[in-house]
């Protein structure tokens, strides 16, 4: 919400969204490179501070201890920067689907955005499953480095294409109060308008922005608030699956495999990526198939419309999907092998 409100008020000649898309993309690329080469950067820092690498192969040496600690810190910082910056670019890119197309084309724009998201998931998980070190023309020390380099290149190309192809109308700035009123009327209605007045009378910019966000949350219509509440708990269940699916497959493989094998981690990671690749294929297929079985709300609300026996309302479809997700997550307790884990991941 903070990035959205800041971009709403951006008066750059590039438009309201593109400056934040470009800025977020720069931090994304930097953080991905930091994650991929955290160990190499830690080694360089160790040499800069004067640590000798004569005993670098000894686990207890000062050089090795410094490299281990520093590489962990760099990777963790890189992931936090990546999480914030990728959401900055994505939020503003999604906002373009509302800013640019006319109202009658916004549903189509969102549909295409969803399809491209699924295609990106399929491509990303497929690339992660492949042995990139053997395929790339240049040498990389790990699968992670190769994957990060490919992701960086694809991300840079798509962001560049988006920024060059979109034509935003810059926000006209006559004075601060005009911008405040224009943004308030477009995003938060009466609640934001009251906050704009308070901000113009001397309140802090950040305090006014956060206050408008909190008021907007409190004054949401009851049906919207209920949807948000359900979605909150759905995300609580969804993100552990998204972040730890590969780790879960690795843990299951360790029950039957030898974790001390030098290639174990690589094989386990590829097995998890393969499961997620199949999941993304299923997700792409269902994203195109399920709308066929969802009743058009405009027709369903008509007294004279006749509901098809093969179609359900969007609300019913949402309930079925949430119930199915809960059952699948409970079933993870009974999984004992990689094949079962793959089936459950694909079912999600």
């Amino acid at each position: 919400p903070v990035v959205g409100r800041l971009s709403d008020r951006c008066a750059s000649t590039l438009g309201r969204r593109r400056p934040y898309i470009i800025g977020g993309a720069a931090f994304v690329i930097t953080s991905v490179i930091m994650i991929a080469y955290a160990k190499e950067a830690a080694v360089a820092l160790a040499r800069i501070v004067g640590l000798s690498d004569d005993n670098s192969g000894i686990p207890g040496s000062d050089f090795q201890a410094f490299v281990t600690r520093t590489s962990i810190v760099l990777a963790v910082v890189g992931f936090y920067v990546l999480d914030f910056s990728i959401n900055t670019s994505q939020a503003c890119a999604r906002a373009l689907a509302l800013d640019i197309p006319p109202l009658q084309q916004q549903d189509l724009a969102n549909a295409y955005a969803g399809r491209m998201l699924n295609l990106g998931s399929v491509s990303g998980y497929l690339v992660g499953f492949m042995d990139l070190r053997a395929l790339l023309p240049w040498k990389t020390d790990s699968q992670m480095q190769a994957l990060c380099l490919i992701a960086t290149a694809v991300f840079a190309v798509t962001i560049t294409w988006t920024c060059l192809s979109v034509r935003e109308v810059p926000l006209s700035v006559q004075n601060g109060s005009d911008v405040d009123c224009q943004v308030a009327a477009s995003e938060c209605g009466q609640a934001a308008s009251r906050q704009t007045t308070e901000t113009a009378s001397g309140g802090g910019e950040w305090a006014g922005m956060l206050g408008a966000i909190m008021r907007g949350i409190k004054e949401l219509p009851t049906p919207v608030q209920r949807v948000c509440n359900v979605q909150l708990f759905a995300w609580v269940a969804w993100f552990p699956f998204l972040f730890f699916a590969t780790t879960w497959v690795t843990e299951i493989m360790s029950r039957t495999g030898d974790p001390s094998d030098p290639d174990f981690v690589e094989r386990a990671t590829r097995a998890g990526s393969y499961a997620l690749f199949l999941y993304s294929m299923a997700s792409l297929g269902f994203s195109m198939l399920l709308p066929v079985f969802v009743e058009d709300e405009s027709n369903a609300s008509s007294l004279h419309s006749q509901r098809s026996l093969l179609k359900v309302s969007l609300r019913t479809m949402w309930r079925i999907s949430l119930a199915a997700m809960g059952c699948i997550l409970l079933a993870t307790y009974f999984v004992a092998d990689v094949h079962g884990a793959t089936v459950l991941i694909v079912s999600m």
Side-chain angles (χ1 to χ4, degrees), residues 197-221:
T197 304
E198 295 172 6
T199 302
S201 63
E205 176 72 17
W206 283 95
M209 178 176 60
L210 295 176
I213 293 172
M214 294 304 298
R215 257 195 293 272
I217 294 174
K218 292 179 181 178
E219 298 180 9
L220 282 175

Side-chain angles (χ1 to χ4, degrees), residues 248-331:
W248 181 50
V249 172
T250 302
E251 291 177 353
I252 293 176
M253 285 188 65
S254 66
R255 300 173 189 173
T256 55
D258 183 12
S260 61
D261 185 354
D263 294 330
F264 174 79
V265 175
E266 291 281 348
R267 288 189 291 106
T269 301
R270 281 200 291 272
S273 296
Y274 179 67
L276 289 172
F277 164 68
L278 295 179
Y279 151 79
S280 62
M281 289 288 292
S283 178
L284 177 61
F286 277 105
S287 68
M288 294 185 290
L289 178 64
L290 288 182
V292 177
F293 299 98
V294 176
E295 187 71 48
D296 187 351
E297 293 293 331
S298 60
N299 293 333
S301 61
S302 174
L303 294 175
H304 302 287
S305 64
Q306 300 214 349
R307 236 184 237 276
S308 171
L309 294 177
L310 298 177
K311 292 189 176 183
V312 297
S313 67
L314 182 60
R315 184 181 303 179
T316 301
M317 183 64 74
W318 193 33
R319 289 171 179 167
I320 294 173
S321 65
L322 291 176
M325 182 174 68
C327 293
I328 292 169
L329 291 175
L330 289 175

Side-chain angles (χ1 to χ4, degrees), residues 231-244:
Q231 195 64 28
L232 171 65
F233 289 102
W235 279 342
V236 170
W238 169 252
F239 279 108
F241 161 78
L242 188 64
F243 292 146
F244 300 114

